[in-house]
Amino acid sequence: MKPILEKVIGGQVHCPICTHTVAAAIDILGRRARVAPGQRCPRCAASLDVAIVVQLTEAA
């Protein structure tokens, strides 16, 4: 069964290529926070699909 997307919020993620923390849209699926697919790093244009979520701009 596919998890239902609860909401999309902004946040900070760690880019694996340029090793900087950049802004990205984050999908909340239950208790999991994942980077929304198809985004690119604004600094190096690398894909952020495998980036690690560092900070959410909204309280839990």
Side-chain angles (χ1 to χ4, degrees), residues 15-44:
C15 176
I17 303 300
C18 68
T19 66
H20 281 87
T21 303
V22 295
I26 298 170
D27 292 340
I28 303 296
L29 304 165
R31 292 184 178 183
R32 297 177 190 222
R34 304 228 174 173
V35 179
Q39 294 187 70
R40 295 245 175 228
C41 175
R43 294 180 56 95
C44 66

Side-chain angles (χ1 to χ4, degrees), residues 11-17 20-24 26 33-35 47-56:
Q12 300 289 321
V13 298
H14 180 76
C15 176
I17 303 300
H20 281 87
T21 303
V22 295
I26 298 170
R34 304 228 174 173
V35 179
S47 175
L48 291 176
D49 288 344
V50 297
I52 297 170
V53 176
V54 177
Q55 181 182 19
L56 301 174

